[in-house]
Amino acid sequence: MAIIVDKAQKRRDIALASKALILEKGIQNLTIAAIAKNAGIGKGTFYEYFKSKEALLFELVEILMHAHNVRIEAELELAERTADKIKIFADFFYDAKSSELRELYKMFTGISLLSPQKEMTAFQTECFDYYYTWFEKIIEEGIISQELKPVTRQMTGAIFATAKGMFIISQTTERNRDLKHEIHSYVDTLMALLAYEGEER
Amino acid sequence: MAIIVDKAQKRRDIALASKALILEKGIQNLTIAAIAKNAGIGKGTFYEYFKSKEALLFELVEILMHAHNVRIEAELELAERTADKIKIFADFFYDAKSSELRELYKMFTGISLLSPQKEMTAFQTECFDYYYTWFEKIIEEGIISQELKPVTRQMTGAIFATAKGMFIISQTTERNRDLKHEIHSYVDTLMALLAYEGEER
Amino acid sequence: MAIIVDKAQKRRDIALASKALILEKGIQNLTIAAIAKNAGIGKGTFYEYFKSKEALLFELVEILMHAHNVRIEAELELAERTADKIKIFADFFYDAKSSELRELYKMFTGISLLSPQKEMTAFQTECFDYYYTWFEKIIEEGIISQELKPVTRQMTGAIFATAKGMFIISQTTERNRDLKHEIHSYVDTLMALLAYEGEER
Amino acid sequence: MAIIVDKAQKRRDIALASKALILEKGIQNLTIAAIAKNAGIGKGTFYEYFKSKEALLFELVEILMHAHNVRIEAELELAERTADKIKIFADFFYDAKSSELRELYKMFTGISLLSPQKEMTAFQTECFDYYYTWFEKIIEEGIISQELKPVTRQMTGAIFATAKGMFIISQTTERNRDLKHEIHSYVDTLMALLAYEGEER
DNA sequence: TATGAATGAGCATTCATTCAT
DNA sequence: CATGAATGAATGCTCATTCAT
């Protein structure tokens, strides 16, 4: 009988074996040959598991993002204040714990902007929906607990977008270097504005 | 005897001559040969004016962005309410008038994320600062005229980032398809929150 | 315990299972992987039975040619006039009944011309001799029955070659499209010339 | 100004420079790299002038065939008897003078059979028509001079095909090794049959 | 005996860049 | 200044073949 291989597992193994190399050089600057060599496999074998370099990056982002989601869901359990919950999401954009995924995600976004591919868009949509749903839930809880005004509902998407926008700005300009402070400050200010019971400041 | 050519002008001419082609095919999928042919010049000549394809895109974005800035400054003169002024900026992300620049800017951002280059970052910083300064001014005016609460100052960067984030989301996912509505709704809600003399809605 | 398999039979089975695929795509455009998959066997198994793609084509041509020979021998039994007997042979080149073998034979000839292999040449010689012998017999009968002049003996090889040449022309040019008419007309004209007892026409 | 190159001439030069190599190894067994190196040019340059290896072979066959045609037309001028004229054409298939073209043409035919391409078919049709027209003229002359019976007209295509068929047989089997004798004998026998006014033999 | 995962030599093809004119 | 012919490094990709199981 033939050698039995868990294709999905090997796919993951190759992807993870390539992580460091991709982070070091950038997916753009890697050749299939280099990736295969680094993963200890032949070029042909690479093609058995991936259609292209991009597919590899894709797999890697999926794996790491799944792990990341597991982690933040655990963290969300512990958080109480809405602002803290939001910050847990925002962590992604500056925290050292997410640095690898973040860097890969940056490449992923770059590719999406330069040569959009259906699968990528679908995946990004899925991710968006996943986080958006969480956001909605968190905000709803905040409203129910009378922490936040009902109008907050209308800001759900915006809060999400703001963090993302700040991240992109931090990556493409010389501003927003202290992204953590930038985002936290934003969240705090906004939460204050949305706090139940009129305030003025 | 030699024909005197304004190098800077010819640079602009080549860039503008390439605009349609870049928009059609994407900078990634163009070769120097194709660009040169399209512009009616030789490949060698291209190199006389540009270091790379990216430099061409750069030039083009600069030209169009300058024209765009001239236009929005004129529009800003006419606007009165802060929300309207902000929307004039946000127009960039969805308005048909900016579609070409927007598309090029998208490519530009993609390249910035995939292979950051000092010149690009510097340029993006410059653009950021330019718009940020306008934003500050607008918000300051809103505060002075008692249209907005002073706390709005702390939201300057955030408003900017939100629009950008929404744009990136609209480009990389299947959400935020009606970007105009998305942004306007956000601006209106936020302005209401920031309006002088607390109201709750 | 082991399953006993008639190797020669399995070889034939694989070859016949590949027939449609080869006819559809052409032997050139097939990979061993595709052939093996199509035949429902593993790549390694393919090599157990065939040395190469060409060997597979070879086997297939042999099988079909044998069947074809059986059929024309039966038909020859029934024919009376020499011209009719010759046409039975020539059928091969245009008749729908032989279309599969003909197509495979075309590939076979192409390979023979591009990269002649001893085995192929030997096989083609064998086929040639087989048909040539039949031709000789037929013509001899025609002469004995005083249907044909003795000089016809010297035309044996030529008649054979003419049909083949017309076929090649029909396959490689846009002429001789109505090969059946072309060949029949030739045979009739030639038979008239060779008819015993003065002819005029 | 740029270097001026006669592209058509350089194309021919490259083709002719490749002739010996192709004859030695066969077009199948050559890589673009080997061809380019042999011709003293870069691989990229090869692609400036040819789309593929086959295009090179094509060019070469065209050049040599043109030269060949010039030669046989000159020879035809001198021939008097129809049989001799026909043999001048048939020379192609065995004469040492045509050996290079013949060998290339063999490859050409092989490719035509294995992967027919419109351009090749068109070219082969053109060649066929060229020779066919000559044949018709020759035979017409033979008829007019009362050397041949009128029925010969119906044999025009057949004579042509016979020589071709004999050639293919000689190349793909171990028969017809003395092709010259084979063809001459055929031509003589046929001419005798077609001779005006009763024949004896 | 059967398999199909693994392989990497091998090849076509592209294209940025140079430089003689 | 302008050019475009020439180049070959670079790279993606294929696929026949092997061999551990």
Side-chain angles (χ1 to χ4, degrees), chain D residues 9-22 38-39 50 56 59-60 63-64 100:
Chain D
Q9 183 56 46
K10 178 138 190 183
R11 216 180 123 91
R12 278 191 292 273
D13 291 345
I14 295 172
L16 287 169
S18 309
K19 193 180 69 178
L21 191 65
I22 295 175
N38 172 266
F50 299 97
L56 174 71
E59 173 76 18
L60 202 44
I63 295 171
L64 297 189
E100 289 182 343

Side-chain angles (χ1 to χ4, degrees), chain D residues 107-164:
Chain D
M107 296 176 199
F108 198 80
T109 304
I111 295 171
S112 295
L113 290 174
L114 280 172
S115 33
Q117 287 159 34
K118 243 173 64 175
E119 289 160 347
M120 284 198 166
T121 307
F123 177 70
Q124 299 235 48
T125 304
E126 202 187 309
C127 294
F128 177 86
D129 289 347
Y130 170 83
Y131 292 120
Y132 192 87
T133 306
W134 267 104
F135 254 59
E136 275 182 322
K137 194 178 151 223
I138 288 168
I139 285 169
E140 207 56 44
E141 285 168 2
I143 294 168
I144 289 167
S145 67
Q146 297 207 328
E147 199 186 331
L148 298 171
K149 294 184 204 171
V151 72
T152 311
R153 283 193 190 100
Q154 295 172 43
M155 299 293 283
T156 315
I159 297 169
F160 194 82
T162 308
K164 187 149 196 170

Side-chain angles (χ1 to χ4, degrees), chain D residues 165-180:
Chain D
M166 284 179 168
F167 172 64
I168 298 291
I169 289 166
S170 78
Q171 296 297 322
T172 56
T173 73
E174 286 148 17
R175 301 290 172 256
N176 287 12
R177 297 331 257 172
D178 185 354
L179 191 55
K180 180 176 180 174

